[in-house]
Amino acid sequence: MNKKILMEILLYPKTSDAEKDDAVIDLVINFQDDETIDFLINVSNDNCYDEMVVASCGESLAHIWIKNEQINYEKVLVLKGVASAEAISLIQAQRTDWYRDYSKMNQI
């Protein structure tokens, strides 16, 4: 599916939470670029989304960083709530080196 359509699905208020969750997953499967990362961060930090969608955003962001073998700690640090918990949990499980660095930065 087209990236723009997937993003519109997430932004459209009448889309069901299940459809939004599926759109997050489809975005990550097909697009691992900076635009997708920034979009998912914005969605995850927007208070109008269901917790399931926010959690999927956090987990999906971690998948992108792990797949690309590149993490942006500044972007990780702006994640909130369940999105942050999901991202950090996956990073801790799969990239302990990144988790150690994140933990040091987060203590400052």
Side-chain angles (χ1 to χ4, degrees):
M1 193 177 279
N2 177 307
K3 184 196 303 190
K4 183 179 179 197
I5 292 171
L6 292 169
M7 289 177 167
E8 287 174 0
I9 289 169
L10 278 159
L11 295 174
Y12 187 64
K14 294 187 179 185
T15 304
S16 74
D17 291 334
E19 290 172 312
K20 288 179 182 182
D21 191 56
D22 289 344
V24 170
I25 293 164
D26 288 344
L27 265 172
V28 173
I29 289 170
N30 296 297
F31 309 99
Q32 294 90 34
D33 55 45
D34 288 337
E35 179 185 26
T36 301
I37 290 169
D38 291 340
F39 179 78
L40 292 174
I41 289 170
N42 289 334
V43 168
S44 74
N45 286 340
D46 191 331
N47 293 329
C48 72
Y49 290 93
D50 181 80
E51 192 171 84
M52 171 183 68
V53 175
V54 174
S56 288
C57 288
E59 182 179 358
S60 295
L61 286 161
H63 279 292
I64 292 171
W65 290 319
I66 291 166
K67 183 177 182 193
N68 291 343
E69 297 184 358
Q70 185 176 18
I71 190 167
N72 181 321
Y73 292 106
E74 290 177 16
K75 292 184 180 188
V76 175
L77 290 168
V78 300
L79 293 174
K80 301 174 187 173
V82 69
S84 176
E86 289 292 325
I88 297 306
S89 176
L90 189 57
I91 289 167
Q92 183 179 17
Q94 295 190 17
R95 289 298 304 255
T96 55
D97 55 329
W98 290 357
Y99 180 73
R100 279 192 305 272
D101 292 342
Y102 164 80
S103 294
K104 290 175 188 173
M105 294 173 143
N106 202 29
Q107 289 178 352
I108 297 174

